[in-house]
Amino acid sequence: MSSLEVTDLSQMMENSWKRCQHYGLKPSDPVYDDIITGNRIREITRQHEQLITHTEHIFTKMNRLIKQSGQMALLIDAQGTILHAVGDPDFSNRAERVQLQIGANWEERRKGTNAIGMALTEQTAVRVHAEEHYYASNRFLTCASSPIFSPDGQLIGVINISGKKESYHDYTLTLACLAADSLQNKLIWEETREEHLITLKELDYTAQNVPLPLLSLDRDNRIVRANQAALRIVGRDALGKEFSGAKGFAMETIRDDRHKVWRSVAIQRKPQGEPRLYEFEDIIGTCAKLLHTKDIAKKAALTDYSIVLLGESGTGKELFAQSIHTASFRSTHPFIAVNCSAIPDSLVESELFGYERGAFTGANKEGSIGKFEAAHKGTIFLDEIGDMSLRAQSALLRVLQESTITPVGSTKSKRIDIRIIAATHRNLPEEVRAGRFRADLYYRLKGIEITLPSLRQRSDLVHLANHLLHSNGYPASFLTEQAQMKLQRYGWPGNVRELNSALLQASFLAEGGPIDGCHLQLGEDAPALDEPSQPEAVLSLKEAEIQAIKKALRQTGGNLSKAATLLQIGRTTLYRKIEEYGITPF
């Protein structure tokens, strides 16, 4: 309610007198409370410091008029305690006899019907004149009060102007209302200014955590703000200096509505034509387990810790790795993926760390940089690190410990600045216990460990299948109920990768119509979840490995690289097992 809005005073006055009678107050027997003084009043005024400061400024402008009219102006808090007072000294001396002074409380239940108490109770502007006061001792007064509201609408106090009843003026209530409105406007302006500062701090915090390099420039093209990603490019001492441009930065101008204030923002975006990396928005799903995993990955992206992604084949480990990179401050630098299981022992150093010209027979005559150097300032993704040989693990550990690489054939080391994201479908602690993975490398890699849920653990299988159908442009538009049931019963050993493949084939077989259960040609080696497999003779581990290797070699026509991929092991591991078991390649 506006402080200038005055309601029916006669009814308000009657209600106030009734309340006083209900409180047990007697007009001829006023209650005089102890005045709050000393440390207690200092504590109360300190709590209202901002309110008092603004009021002092307003009262200073009013003081001459208040004194000339023989009145005093007061600021009262929401509990009825007088916090500040100015005005005519002669009247002030008489007013103190009825405790109209700093530290006194003028709530209605203490001082009966009065303008301060009524303004607090009714929360509207009010004037109480002479005989309208409940206590006879206060009837020499004429008082006008207007409530003060905070910017969010809470009652925080009252402005009061009081004087002798003989000094009554029609403008007194209007003056109290104007003072209250002026005070409220100051509070609103102050809060707006503080909100503006908070907004700037919030934007600054956001900018610091945005992976894209951002610069703010004034009209003279000087750098006035820069986030951490930008400072790494233009230099830590760039603030205040003129920005003459840098590779990849695009300029955008921001203006106010009247085009009187503007700033330029320079943003470094990825060059056009570079392959697009995945982002967290590309990770589709409504499953609570997946969403929780995404949340952890998003938080991890804002750090520079090493990350190990654990999960079965086909669960989307590279999708997560790329998303973490694009959400990190390294996003403008390279993302290099390395399939650790595909690198032969003899080529580990040259593949990962590069080589100098003439380093070995068949080498590129100009030499070549390795994967680690290519990933400098960016992210290197070590996929299937659990399949790395112990020799390769040893070489990798040295690099992680020293943050330097030495190309094959060189005597000079190069310092590298990279973030490591590793991934494996294996249980690394078990691999460590079995002696197949170095414990020191495991603990060096294990900064943050994130486990991706398998497809059979997810509750959003049908949702994901429908998304894949539409996003990949398959002809069939929907799955029948029978097809959905079949999808949900299947075990999905190949996870999302297998689901995508199955949908492609089913869409082809459906010839543009709905996909039914008969169109889903699911693998025979993975039994449905609700169909227990028939008991079979148990093979020894050695026999099972021999059969698997022979089957893979037959299916690939003796191609060792393809057979290793089918078996999901490294080619080096396959070589070793062929020799160990005496298997003759086809």
Side-chain angles (χ1 to χ4, degrees):
M1 180 181 296
S2 170
S3 51
L4 284 170
E5 185 178 335
V6 183
T7 56
D8 185 347
L9 290 177
S10 60
Q11 184 61 54
M12 284 172 52
M13 211 67 66
E14 181 182 340
N15 292 340
S16 176
W17 276 62
K18 287 180 179 178
R19 286 193 296 270
C20 292
Q21 292 165 357
H22 177 73
Y23 298 146
L25 304 180
K26 297 178 181 179
S28 59
D29 187 17
V31 176
Y32 291 116
D33 295 324
D34 291 336
I35 304 297
I36 301 173
T37 58
N39 291 335
R40 178 61 182 142
I41 192 64
R42 281 193 289 272
E43 175 63 24
I44 293 174
T45 53
R46 187 160 51 246
Q47 292 172 3
H48 296 84
E49 185 176 0
Q50 182 189 42
L51 191 65
I52 294 171
T53 300
H54 290 316
T55 303
E56 287 175 343
H57 180 70
I58 294 169
F59 281 2
T60 299
K61 296 180 178 179
M62 296 168 49
N63 198 26
R64 184 178 177 185
L65 176 62
I66 295 295
K67 283 183 177 180
Q68 287 177 347
S69 59
Q71 302 181 96
M72 63 187 301
L74 306 104
L75 170 67
I76 300 94
D77 69 12
Q79 285 69 48
T81 301
I82 299 174
L83 303 175
H84 182 65
V86 298
D88 178 47
D90 293 337
F91 173 72
S92 298
N93 290 333
R94 185 176 179 185
E96 286 184 5
R97 299 175 194 169
V98 292
Q99 296 189 330
L100 194 62
Q101 65 189 92
I102 293 175
N105 189 286
W106 275 71
E107 274 189 317
E108 202 175 59
R109 65 175 60 244
R110 287 186 167 86
K111 296 292 191 245
T113 299
N114 70 88
I116 296 172
M118 286 184 66
L120 289 171
T121 301
E122 301 289 349
Q123 297 192 15
T124 189
V126 61
R127 178 177 56 235
V128 178
H129 179 63
E131 304 300 320
E132 291 174 334
H133 286 89
Y134 187 77
Y135 283 144
S137 58
N138 291 339
R139 291 174 186 167
F140 75 97
L141 295 169
T142 182
C143 307
S145 290
S146 179
I148 310 162
F149 297 98
S150 68
D152 61 357
Q154 298 296 313
L155 178 70
I156 57 174
V158 165
I159 292 289
N160 173 267
I161 299 176
S162 296
K164 294 183 291 186
K165 63 182 179 181
E166 296 82 10
S167 304
Y168 168 78
H169 295 282
D170 287 335
Y171 66 77
T172 304
L173 180 59
T174 302
L175 188 61
C177 292
L178 289 173
D181 282 348
S182 178
L183 182 53
Q184 287 173 173
N185 289 338
K186 285 182 176 293
L187 294 174
I188 290 171
W189 183 87
E190 185 74 20
E191 182 167 283
T192 301
R193 188 178 71 86
E194 289 176 359
E195 286 181 351
H196 178 67
L197 292 174
I198 290 295
T199 300
L200 286 177
K201 289 181 180 179
E202 183 181 4
L203 289 173
D204 184 58
Y205 176 81
T206 303
Q208 295 304 328
N209 289 282
V210 166
L212 290 175
L214 300 173
L215 297 171
S216 290
L217 315 174
D218 63 14
R219 62 181 66 193
D220 297 322
N221 234 34
R222 289 191 301 267
I223 300 173
V224 293
R225 273 190 295 276
N227 67 356
Q228 293 300 316
L231 289 176
R232 278 189 285 271
I233 296 171
V234 298
R236 298 283 172 183
D237 60 345
L239 292 179
K241 295 182 179 179
E242 185 176 352
F243 181 66
S244 56
K247 183 179 179 181
F249 277 91
M251 303 286 287
E252 295 183 14
T253 301
I254 302 172
R255 294 184 174 89
D256 69 341
D257 293 338
R258 295 171 296 170
H259 290 247
K260 290 188 176 181
V261 180
W262 66 83
R263 284 277 158 79
S264 294
V265 179
I267 307 171
Q268 189 185 55
R269 295 194 171 95
K270 287 183 178 294
Q272 296 295 320
E274 282 192 5
R276 176 185 175 274
L277 296 178
Y278 288 116
E279 300 176 2
F280 281 113
E281 290 74 16
D282 297 313
I283 301 175
I284 304 301
T286 58
C287 171
K289 288 183 179 178
L290 179 72
L291 296 177
H292 177 65
T293 304
K294 276 178 68 174
D295 285 341
I296 294 174
K298 286 178 181 178
K299 292 175 183 176
L302 300 178
T303 73
D304 205 31
Y305 299 133
S306 297
I307 295 174
V308 176
L309 300 174
L310 304 173
E312 299 176 6
S313 295
T315 50
K317 293 188 287 293
E318 183 158 2
L319 172 60
F320 267 84
Q322 290 189 17
S323 300
I324 291 169
H325 172 76
T326 52
S328 74
F329 70 82
R330 296 180 181 270
S331 64
T332 57
H333 296 289
F335 175 88
I336 303 296
V338 180
N339 185 348
C340 298
S341 66
I343 304 176
D345 269 0
S346 58
L347 298 179
V348 167
E349 284 86 353
S350 59
E351 280 288 316
L352 296 183
F353 316 134
Y355 56 87
E356 296 291 303
R357 56 187 299 178
F360 52 86
T361 304
N364 187 316
K365 63 180 182 179
E366 300 299 328
S368 176
I369 66 171
K371 303 294 187 183
F372 275 78
E373 188 175 352
H376 183 55
K377 293 191 176 181
T379 302
I380 190 164
F381 175 50
L382 303 175
D383 195 13
E384 297 303 351
I385 197 166
D387 292 331
M388 246 187 174
S389 68
L390 289 171
R391 178 178 177 276
Q393 291 175 34
S394 178
L396 176 59
L397 178 62
R398 285 197 304 274
V399 174
L400 298 185
Q401 287 174 333
E402 300 167 9
S403 295
T404 59
I405 57 167
T406 304
V408 176
S410 174
T411 57
K412 294 182 180 179
S413 296
K414 298 180 180 180
R415 182 158 290 279
I416 52 167
D417 172 21
I418 55 172
R419 194 222 191 122
I420 304 283
I421 301 179
T424 182
H425 66 282
R426 298 190 182 277
N427 186 323
L428 288 184
E430 286 187 5
E431 295 294 301
V432 170
R433 285 192 291 272
R436 292 187 292 268
F437 200 85
R438 293 182 61 126
D440 45 6
L441 176 59
Y442 172 64
Y443 292 115
R444 173 69 65 172
L445 289 171
K446 187 191 171 188
I448 299 173
E449 212 169 68
I450 302 174
T451 301
L452 278 55
S454 64
L455 192 53
R456 61 182 171 275
Q457 293 174 319
R458 291 174 56 171
S459 59
D460 58 353
L461 174 59
V462 174
H463 170 84
L464 178 60
N466 283 321
H467 170 78
L468 292 173
L469 280 174
H470 291 98
S471 63
N472 293 332
Y474 296 154
S477 58
F478 68 94
L479 297 158
T480 66
E481 186 175 347
Q482 184 187 20
Q484 293 180 24
M485 291 173 62
K486 189 169 183 178
L487 289 176
Q488 291 171 319
R489 285 199 305 266
Y490 184 58
W492 299 109
N495 292 289
V496 180
R497 189 180 295 127
E498 184 182 5
L499 173 63
N500 203 13
S501 176
L503 292 174
L504 171 63
Q505 184 174 11
S507 180
F508 169 74
L509 294 175
E511 297 181 343
I515 292 180
D516 207 349
C518 62
H519 300 131
L520 290 166
Q521 306 295 308
L522 304 181
E524 296 176 356
D525 294 333
L529 293 182
D530 58 352
E531 295 176 5
S533 56
Q534 296 298 318
E536 297 178 0
V538 177
L539 299 175
S540 68
L541 181 59
K542 177 179 178 180
E543 290 171 334
E545 285 192 341
I546 291 172
Q547 285 194 15
I549 291 170
K550 287 183 176 180
K551 184 177 181 180
L553 290 171
R554 281 197 301 271
Q555 290 184 6
T556 59
N559 187 308
L560 297 179
S561 294
K562 291 181 179 180
T565 301
L566 276 179
L567 293 167
Q568 297 183 5
I569 60 175
R571 190 166 54 180
T572 306
T573 303
L574 179 58
Y575 290 150
R576 188 176 70 248
K577 289 187 177 293
I578 287 175
E579 291 179 0
E580 180 182 344
Y581 297 141
I583 299 171
T584 303
F586 290 83

